[in-house]
């Protein structure tokens, strides 16, 4: 049984057994020799960073990736001792905390490299870092094409220790593989140049979830999966290539039930007017919880194992469902926003479609005021849920 929160019954239940299962599937794919750095940025994709990281550390994760220094400090506070990579880098005024919490920044521009190098020398300290190469993502990273310019500067670093080299795919979940292969070729050429120059660092990594599933030649020494650890395929077409178990369910309960006559308008803006006598259930969840306003008149939630449409606009703290066609609904009934109830399920991908976004945003948008409740259930229960959702 999942321990329920007191008071407002809106919460996310996170099954740690599913996380362990998903981690094992990644391990099976990449083998024992490739390190796995689990991406737990943005509160572990909304799943609760501390508990998730501790679970994955016990499952054998070789390290963790977060976006910001603050997220790294939080993991140290949760007892994580493994290496923590700050994927979006650190700022020169964060050097003290970076050293204190033994965090490893990904660095991507020469100015920051030079400033950190001279500050470290002044402090007589050293710091390991990973270098990011832009091979076609067009985001952060030194341009692979400018290697002749930056390579000699790398060679002069002393206080900064060159521990890793990385790049990031922009379209690896796509079935059109040409661009992904061209990024990989560019990265491999950079690795080769560094090798020839005697500068190649020990950790080389490029693969995110989609590449873990479909591109073993991109594994190098380490992979950086995020989404698949939470049980969601990076694209529906990849769902058959790996058996994943979604770890998170988002639940609430019916706050108020109201029978209203035909012609009653529901919520702000009168965007929904009942076409018949209707039974309307109000839920204690809204866009301030991360239940996207685009779900207004589009989303669906599960009540008594049936799908009930969201009617009217999603408000900041409240949302209405039309439960007229569902028998026996009572105040206090469980409502599943994401996850499974009976034979029905709503996946993060489905909710993302309604909200015109992607599963990543659905999960990371669930706000801090929604408690995360962690539990471990038997793998078989978990698997049934995953199958029902796929
Ligand atoms: C640099 C980097 N590596 C790895 C990942 C993990 O990606 P995914 O969740 O698709 O596995 C991300 C996610 O955004 C990222 O930004």
């Amino acid at each position: 049984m999942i321990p329920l929160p007191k008071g407002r019954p809106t919460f996310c239940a996170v099954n740690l057994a599913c996380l362990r299962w998903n981690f094992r599937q990644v391990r099976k794919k990449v083998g024992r020799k490739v390190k796995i750095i689990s991406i737990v940025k943005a509160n572990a994709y909304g799943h609760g960073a501390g508990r998730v990281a501790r679970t994955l550390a016990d499952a054998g994760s070789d390290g963790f990736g977060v976006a910001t220094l603050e997220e790294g400090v939080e993991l140290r506070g949760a007892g994580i001792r493994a290496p923590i990579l700050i994927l979006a880098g650190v700022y020169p005024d964060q050097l003290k905390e970076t050293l204190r919490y033994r965090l490893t920044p990904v660095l991507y521009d020469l100015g920051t490299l030079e400033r950190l190098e001279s500050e470290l020398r002044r402090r007589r300290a050293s710091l390991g870092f990973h270098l990011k190469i832009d091979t076609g993502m067009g985001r952060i990273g030194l341009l692979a094409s400018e290697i002749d310019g930056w390579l000699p500067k790398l060679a002069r670093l002393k206080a900064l220790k060159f521990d890793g080299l990385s790049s990031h795919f922009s379209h690896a979940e796509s079935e059109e593989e040409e661009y992904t292969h061209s990024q990989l070729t560019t990265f491999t050429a950079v690795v080769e140049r560094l090798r020839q120059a005697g500068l190649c660092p020990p950790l080389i990594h490029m693969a995110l979830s989609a590449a873990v599933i479909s591109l073993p030649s991109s594994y190098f020494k380490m992979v950086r999966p995020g989404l698949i650890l939470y049980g969601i395929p990076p694209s529906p077409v990849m769902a058959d290539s790996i058996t994943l178990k979604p770890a998170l369910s988002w639940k609430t309960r019916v706050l108020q039930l109201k029978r209203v006559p035909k012609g009653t308008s529901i919520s702000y803006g009168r965007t929904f007017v009942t076409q018949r006598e209707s039974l309307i259930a109000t839920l204690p969840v809204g866009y301030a919880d991360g239940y996207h306003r685009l779900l207004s008149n589009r989303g669906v939630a599960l009540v008594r194992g049936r799908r009930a449409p969201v009617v009217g606009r999603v408000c900041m703290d409240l949302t209405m469902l039309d439960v007229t066609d569902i028998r026996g609904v009572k105040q206090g009934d469980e409502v599943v926003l994401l996850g499974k109830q009976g034979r029905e399920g709503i996946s993060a991908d489905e909710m993302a479609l309604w909200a015109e976004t992607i599963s990543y945003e659905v999960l990371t948008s669930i706000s801090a005021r929604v408690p995360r409740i962690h539990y471990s259930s038997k793998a078989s229960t978990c698997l049934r849920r995953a199958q029902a959702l796929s």
Side-chain angles (χ1 to χ4, degrees), residues 297-322:
N297 295 309
R298 277 195 199 175
V300 164
L302 306 177
V303 186
R304 299 206 160 227
R306 303 267 311 274
R307 294 167 87 86
V310 171
V311 287
R313 288 211 176 121
V314 172
C315 307
M316 193 184 291
D317 319 298
L318 299 166
T319 296
M320 276 61 74
L321 297 180
D322 183 347

PDB file of all heavy atoms in Angstrom, residues 297-322:
ATOM      1  N   ASN A 297     -10.588  21.404 -21.534  1.00  0.00           N
ATOM      2  CA  ASN A 297     -11.461  20.845 -22.582  1.00  0.00           C
ATOM      3  C   ASN A 297     -10.753  19.843 -23.507  1.00  0.00           C
ATOM      4  O   ASN A 297     -11.204  19.602 -24.623  1.00  0.00           O
ATOM      5  CB  ASN A 297     -12.089  21.967 -23.436  1.00  0.00           C
ATOM      6  CG  ASN A 297     -13.031  22.833 -22.619  1.00  0.00           C
ATOM      7  OD1 ASN A 297     -13.917  22.306 -21.942  1.00  0.00           O
ATOM      8  ND2 ASN A 297     -12.833  24.136 -22.642  1.00  0.00           N
ATOM      9  N   ARG A 298      -9.604  19.304 -23.084  1.00  0.00           N
ATOM     10  CA  ARG A 298      -8.844  18.371 -23.926  1.00  0.00           C
ATOM     11  C   ARG A 298      -8.353  17.154 -23.161  1.00  0.00           C
ATOM     12  O   ARG A 298      -8.235  16.076 -23.716  1.00  0.00           O
ATOM     13  CB  ARG A 298      -7.546  19.055 -24.391  1.00  0.00           C
ATOM     14  CG  ARG A 298      -7.687  19.919 -25.547  1.00  0.00           C
ATOM     15  CD  ARG A 298      -6.275  20.156 -26.033  1.00  0.00           C
ATOM     16  NE  ARG A 298      -6.248  21.309 -26.872  1.00  0.00           N
ATOM     17  CZ  ARG A 298      -5.152  21.833 -27.375  1.00  0.00           C
ATOM     18  NH1 ARG A 298      -3.984  21.293 -27.078  1.00  0.00           N
ATOM     19  NH2 ARG A 298      -5.205  22.875 -28.143  1.00  0.00           N
ATOM     20  N   GLY A 299      -7.985  17.386 -21.901  1.00  0.00           N
ATOM     21  CA  GLY A 299      -7.377  16.303 -21.114  1.00  0.00           C
ATOM     22  C   GLY A 299      -8.419  15.278 -20.691  1.00  0.00           C
ATOM     23  O   GLY A 299      -9.630  15.462 -20.883  1.00  0.00           O
ATOM     24  N   VAL A 300      -7.919  14.196 -20.149  1.00  0.00           N
ATOM     25  CA  VAL A 300      -8.765  13.112 -19.645  1.00  0.00           C
ATOM     26  C   VAL A 300      -8.148  12.641 -18.334  1.00  0.00           C
ATOM     27  O   VAL A 300      -6.916  12.661 -18.183  1.00  0.00           O
ATOM     28  CB  VAL A 300      -8.797  11.952 -20.684  1.00  0.00           C
ATOM     29  CG1 VAL A 300      -9.303  10.672 -20.076  1.00  0.00           C
ATOM     30  CG2 VAL A 300      -9.642  12.330 -21.893  1.00  0.00           C
ATOM     31  N   ALA A 301      -8.991  12.235 -17.383  1.00  0.00           N
ATOM     32  CA  ALA A 301      -8.467  11.618 -16.154  1.00  0.00           C
ATOM     33  C   ALA A 301      -9.273  10.345 -15.901  1.00  0.00           C
ATOM     34  O   ALA A 301     -10.331  10.147 -16.502  1.00  0.00           O
ATOM     35  CB  ALA A 301      -8.589  12.590 -14.986  1.00  0.00           C
ATOM     36  N   LEU A 302      -8.745   9.484 -15.038  1.00  0.00           N
ATOM     37  CA  LEU A 302      -9.394   8.194 -14.793  1.00  0.00           C
ATOM     38  C   LEU A 302     -10.158   8.227 -13.471  1.00  0.00           C
ATOM     39  O   LEU A 302      -9.606   8.631 -12.440  1.00  0.00           O
ATOM     40  CB  LEU A 302      -8.344   7.082 -14.749  1.00  0.00           C
ATOM     41  CG  LEU A 302      -7.420   7.004 -15.981  1.00  0.00           C
ATOM     42  CD1 LEU A 302      -6.381   5.902 -15.795  1.00  0.00           C
ATOM     43  CD2 LEU A 302      -8.241   6.761 -17.244  1.00  0.00           C
ATOM     44  N   VAL A 303     -11.424   7.810 -13.548  1.00  0.00           N
ATOM     45  CA  VAL A 303     -12.274   7.713 -12.355  1.00  0.00           C
ATOM     46  C   VAL A 303     -12.985   6.368 -12.433  1.00  0.00           C
ATOM     47  O   VAL A 303     -13.578   6.055 -13.471  1.00  0.00           O
ATOM     48  CB  VAL A 303     -13.337   8.846 -12.339  1.00  0.00           C
ATOM     49  CG1 VAL A 303     -14.111   8.824 -11.023  1.00  0.00           C
ATOM     50  CG2 VAL A 303     -12.707  10.206 -12.564  1.00  0.00           C
ATOM     51  N   ARG A 304     -12.888   5.592 -11.351  1.00  0.00           N
ATOM     52  CA  ARG A 304     -13.525   4.252 -11.353  1.00  0.00           C
ATOM     53  C   ARG A 304     -13.143   3.449 -12.599  1.00  0.00           C
ATOM     54  O   ARG A 304     -13.969   2.793 -13.231  1.00  0.00           O
ATOM     55  CB  ARG A 304     -15.041   4.373 -11.244  1.00  0.00           C
ATOM     56  CG  ARG A 304     -15.430   5.064  -9.960  1.00  0.00           C
ATOM     57  CD  ARG A 304     -16.781   4.715  -9.438  1.00  0.00           C
ATOM     58  NE  ARG A 304     -16.770   5.084  -8.018  1.00  0.00           N
ATOM     59  CZ  ARG A 304     -17.208   4.319  -7.037  1.00  0.00           C
ATOM     60  NH1 ARG A 304     -17.714   3.149  -7.292  1.00  0.00           N
ATOM     61  NH2 ARG A 304     -17.132   4.725  -5.786  1.00  0.00           N
ATOM     62  N   GLY A 305     -11.895   3.575 -13.009  1.00  0.00           N
ATOM     63  CA  GLY A 305     -11.386   2.793 -14.139  1.00  0.00           C
ATOM     64  C   GLY A 305     -11.879   3.259 -15.496  1.00  0.00           C
ATOM     65  O   GLY A 305     -11.674   2.576 -16.503  1.00  0.00           O
ATOM     66  N   ARG A 306     -12.513   4.428 -15.553  1.00  0.00           N
ATOM     67  CA  ARG A 306     -13.046   4.947 -16.830  1.00  0.00           C
ATOM     68  C   ARG A 306     -12.427   6.310 -17.128  1.00  0.00           C
ATOM     69  O   ARG A 306     -11.974   7.014 -16.234  1.00  0.00           O
ATOM     70  CB  ARG A 306     -14.577   5.105 -16.724  1.00  0.00           C
ATOM     71  CG  ARG A 306     -15.337   3.842 -16.368  1.00  0.00           C
ATOM     72  CD  ARG A 306     -15.830   3.078 -17.580  1.00  0.00           C
ATOM     73  NE  ARG A 306     -16.528   3.918 -18.545  1.00  0.00           N
ATOM     74  CZ  ARG A 306     -17.834   4.222 -18.489  1.00  0.00           C
ATOM     75  NH1 ARG A 306     -18.577   3.752 -17.497  1.00  0.00           N
ATOM     76  NH2 ARG A 306     -18.392   4.986 -19.401  1.00  0.00           N
ATOM     77  N   ARG A 307     -12.459   6.682 -18.397  1.00  0.00           N
ATOM     78  CA  ARG A 307     -11.875   7.964 -18.810  1.00  0.00           C
ATOM     79  C   ARG A 307     -12.929   9.065 -18.737  1.00  0.00           C
ATOM     80  O   ARG A 307     -14.013   8.932 -19.314  1.00  0.00           O
ATOM     81  CB  ARG A 307     -11.329   7.842 -20.235  1.00  0.00           C
ATOM     82  CG  ARG A 307     -10.154   6.881 -20.321  1.00  0.00           C
ATOM     83  CD  ARG A 307      -9.824   6.534 -21.749  1.00  0.00           C
ATOM     84  NE  ARG A 307      -8.920   7.471 -22.374  1.00  0.00           N
ATOM     85  CZ  ARG A 307      -7.599   7.416 -22.297  1.00  0.00           C
ATOM     86  NH1 ARG A 307      -7.008   6.458 -21.619  1.00  0.00           N
ATOM     87  NH2 ARG A 307      -6.863   8.308 -22.890  1.00  0.00           N
ATOM     88  N   ALA A 308     -12.603  10.133 -18.032  1.00  0.00           N
ATOM     89  CA  ALA A 308     -13.532  11.261 -17.886  1.00  0.00           C
ATOM     90  C   ALA A 308     -12.867  12.512 -18.453  1.00  0.00           C
ATOM     91  O   ALA A 308     -11.713  12.814 -18.109  1.00  0.00           O
ATOM     92  CB  ALA A 308     -13.870  11.481 -16.409  1.00  0.00           C
ATOM     93  N   PRO A 309     -13.574  13.247 -19.310  1.00  0.00           N
ATOM     94  CA  PRO A 309     -12.950  14.428 -19.935  1.00  0.00           C
ATOM     95  C   PRO A 309     -12.879  15.637 -18.991  1.00  0.00           C
ATOM     96  O   PRO A 309     -13.785  15.856 -18.179  1.00  0.00           O
ATOM     97  CB  PRO A 309     -13.887  14.722 -21.116  1.00  0.00           C
ATOM     98  CG  PRO A 309     -15.206  14.144 -20.724  1.00  0.00           C
ATOM     99  CD  PRO A 309     -14.929  12.977 -19.810  1.00  0.00           C
ATOM    100  N   VAL A 310     -11.790  16.387 -19.158  1.00  0.00           N
ATOM    101  CA  VAL A 310     -11.671  17.678 -18.463  1.00  0.00           C
ATOM    102  C   VAL A 310     -12.632  18.636 -19.157  1.00  0.00           C
ATOM    103  O   VAL A 310     -12.638  18.728 -20.392  1.00  0.00           O
ATOM    104  CB  VAL A 310     -10.219  18.221 -18.571  1.00  0.00           C
ATOM    105  CG1 VAL A 310     -10.129  19.657 -18.047  1.00  0.00           C
ATOM    106  CG2 VAL A 310      -9.252  17.307 -17.841  1.00  0.00           C
ATOM    107  N   VAL A 311     -13.445  19.328 -18.356  1.00  0.00           N
ATOM    108  CA  VAL A 311     -14.368  20.291 -18.968  1.00  0.00           C
ATOM    109  C   VAL A 311     -14.107  21.683 -18.406  1.00  0.00           C
ATOM    110  O   VAL A 311     -13.801  21.851 -17.223  1.00  0.00           O
ATOM    111  CB  VAL A 311     -15.861  19.889 -18.773  1.00  0.00           C
ATOM    112  CG1 VAL A 311     -16.220  18.705 -19.655  1.00  0.00           C
ATOM    113  CG2 VAL A 311     -16.194  19.586 -17.316  1.00  0.00           C
ATOM    114  N   GLY A 312     -14.179  22.670 -19.285  1.00  0.00           N
ATOM    115  CA  GLY A 312     -13.889  24.049 -18.895  1.00  0.00           C
ATOM    116  C   GLY A 312     -12.396  24.239 -18.718  1.00  0.00           C
ATOM    117  O   GLY A 312     -11.595  23.312 -18.914  1.00  0.00           O
ATOM    118  N   ARG A 313     -12.050  25.461 -18.354  1.00  0.00           N
ATOM    119  CA  ARG A 313     -10.622  25.782 -18.220  1.00  0.00           C
ATOM    120  C   ARG A 313     -10.045  25.188 -16.940  1.00  0.00           C
ATOM    121  O   ARG A 313     -10.674  25.226 -15.876  1.00  0.00           O
ATOM    122  CB  ARG A 313     -10.429  27.290 -18.185  1.00  0.00           C
ATOM    123  CG  ARG A 313     -10.656  27.905 -19.542  1.00  0.00           C
ATOM    124  CD  ARG A 313      -9.785  29.150 -19.730  1.00  0.00           C
ATOM    125  NE  ARG A 313      -9.988  29.635 -21.082  1.00  0.00           N
ATOM    126  CZ  ARG A 313     -10.444  30.859 -21.371  1.00  0.00           C
ATOM    127  NH1 ARG A 313     -10.712  31.714 -20.406  1.00  0.00           N
ATOM    128  NH2 ARG A 313     -10.601  31.216 -22.626  1.00  0.00           N
ATOM    129  N   VAL A 314      -8.823  24.670 -17.052  1.00  0.00           N
ATOM    130  CA  VAL A 314      -8.066  24.269 -15.862  1.00  0.00           C
ATOM    131  C   VAL A 314      -7.749  25.554 -15.101  1.00  0.00           C
ATOM    132  O   VAL A 314      -7.265  26.534 -15.694  1.00  0.00           O
ATOM    133  CB  VAL A 314      -6.763  23.542 -16.279  1.00  0.00           C
ATOM    134  CG1 VAL A 314      -5.866  23.295 -15.080  1.00  0.00           C
ATOM    135  CG2 VAL A 314      -7.082  22.242 -17.025  1.00  0.00           C
ATOM    136  N   CYS A 315      -8.054  25.594 -13.808  1.00  0.00           N
ATOM    137  CA  CYS A 315      -7.773  26.784 -12.997  1.00  0.00           C
ATOM    138  C   CYS A 315      -6.422  26.609 -12.300  1.00  0.00           C
ATOM    139  O   CYS A 315      -5.763  25.579 -12.445  1.00  0.00           O
ATOM    140  CB  CYS A 315      -8.857  26.972 -11.938  1.00  0.00           C
ATOM    141  SG  CYS A 315     -10.528  26.974 -12.601  1.00  0.00           S
ATOM    142  N   MET A 316      -6.020  27.594 -11.511  1.00  0.00           N
ATOM    143  CA  MET A 316      -4.716  27.510 -10.849  1.00  0.00           C
ATOM    144  C   MET A 316      -4.650  26.304  -9.901  1.00  0.00           C
ATOM    145  O   MET A 316      -3.636  25.604  -9.834  1.00  0.00           O
ATOM    146  CB  MET A 316      -4.439  28.800 -10.078  1.00  0.00           C
ATOM    147  CG  MET A 316      -3.001  28.932  -9.617  1.00  0.00           C
ATOM    148  SD  MET A 316      -2.704  30.390  -8.618  1.00  0.00           S
ATOM    149  CE  MET A 316      -2.876  31.700  -9.793  1.00  0.00           C
ATOM    150  N   ASP A 317      -5.756  26.058  -9.179  1.00  0.00           N
ATOM    151  CA  ASP A 317      -5.729  25.018  -8.140  1.00  0.00           C
ATOM    152  C   ASP A 317      -6.813  23.961  -8.311  1.00  0.00           C
ATOM    153  O   ASP A 317      -6.841  23.003  -7.537  1.00  0.00           O
ATOM    154  CB  ASP A 317      -5.920  25.665  -6.757  1.00  0.00           C
ATOM    155  CG  ASP A 317      -5.156  26.955  -6.642  1.00  0.00           C
ATOM    156  OD1 ASP A 317      -3.916  26.886  -6.751  1.00  0.00           O
ATOM    157  OD2 ASP A 317      -5.773  28.024  -6.506  1.00  0.00           O
ATOM    158  N   LEU A 318      -7.709  24.148  -9.252  1.00  0.00           N
ATOM    159  CA  LEU A 318      -8.864  23.256  -9.398  1.00  0.00           C
ATOM    160  C   LEU A 318      -9.115  22.935 -10.872  1.00  0.00           C
ATOM    161  O   LEU A 318      -8.818  23.755 -11.747  1.00  0.00           O
ATOM    162  CB  LEU A 318     -10.128  23.928  -8.813  1.00  0.00           C
ATOM    163  CG  LEU A 318     -10.068  24.272  -7.315  1.00  0.00           C
ATOM    164  CD1 LEU A 318     -11.206  25.226  -6.944  1.00  0.00           C
ATOM    165  CD2 LEU A 318     -10.133  23.022  -6.459  1.00  0.00           C
ATOM    166  N   THR A 319      -9.665  21.742 -11.090  1.00  0.00           N
ATOM    167  CA  THR A 319      -9.974  21.287 -12.455  1.00  0.00           C
ATOM    168  C   THR A 319     -11.283  20.500 -12.402  1.00  0.00           C
ATOM    169  O   THR A 319     -11.516  19.770 -11.432  1.00  0.00           O
ATOM    170  CB  THR A 319      -8.830  20.374 -12.970  1.00  0.00           C
ATOM    171  OG1 THR A 319      -7.648  21.173 -13.064  1.00  0.00           O
ATOM    172  CG2 THR A 319      -9.129  19.777 -14.338  1.00  0.00           C
ATOM    173  N   MET A 320     -12.089  20.630 -13.440  1.00  0.00           N
ATOM    174  CA  MET A 320     -13.381  19.931 -13.459  1.00  0.00           C
ATOM    175  C   MET A 320     -13.397  18.803 -14.487  1.00  0.00           C
ATOM    176  O   MET A 320     -12.823  18.934 -15.579  1.00  0.00           O
ATOM    177  CB  MET A 320     -14.509  20.926 -13.793  1.00  0.00           C
ATOM    178  CG  MET A 320     -15.027  21.687 -12.583  1.00  0.00           C
ATOM    179  SD  MET A 320     -13.788  22.697 -11.754  1.00  0.00           S
ATOM    180  CE  MET A 320     -13.610  24.047 -12.901  1.00  0.00           C
ATOM    181  N   LEU A 321     -14.068  17.698 -14.109  1.00  0.00           N
ATOM    182  CA  LEU A 321     -14.267  16.562 -15.015  1.00  0.00           C
ATOM    183  C   LEU A 321     -15.753  16.364 -15.211  1.00  0.00           C
ATOM    184  O   LEU A 321     -16.536  16.562 -14.264  1.00  0.00           O
ATOM    185  CB  LEU A 321     -13.728  15.268 -14.396  1.00  0.00           C
ATOM    186  CG  LEU A 321     -12.248  15.126 -14.085  1.00  0.00           C
ATOM    187  CD1 LEU A 321     -12.003  13.737 -13.482  1.00  0.00           C
ATOM    188  CD2 LEU A 321     -11.404  15.312 -15.338  1.00  0.00           C
ATOM    189  N   ASP A 322     -16.121  15.883 -16.399  1.00  0.00           N
ATOM    190  CA  ASP A 322     -17.512  15.467 -16.627  1.00  0.00           C
ATOM    191  C   ASP A 322     -17.584  13.968 -16.353  1.00  0.00           C
ATOM    192  O   ASP A 322     -17.012  13.164 -17.099  1.00  0.00           O
ATOM    193  CB  ASP A 322     -17.908  15.777 -18.079  1.00  0.00           C
ATOM    194  CG  ASP A 322     -19.363  15.428 -18.347  1.00  0.00           C
ATOM    195  OD1 ASP A 322     -19.983  14.738 -17.501  1.00  0.00           O
ATOM    196  OD2 ASP A 322     -19.877  15.831 -19.398  1.00  0.00           O
TER     197      ASP A 322
END
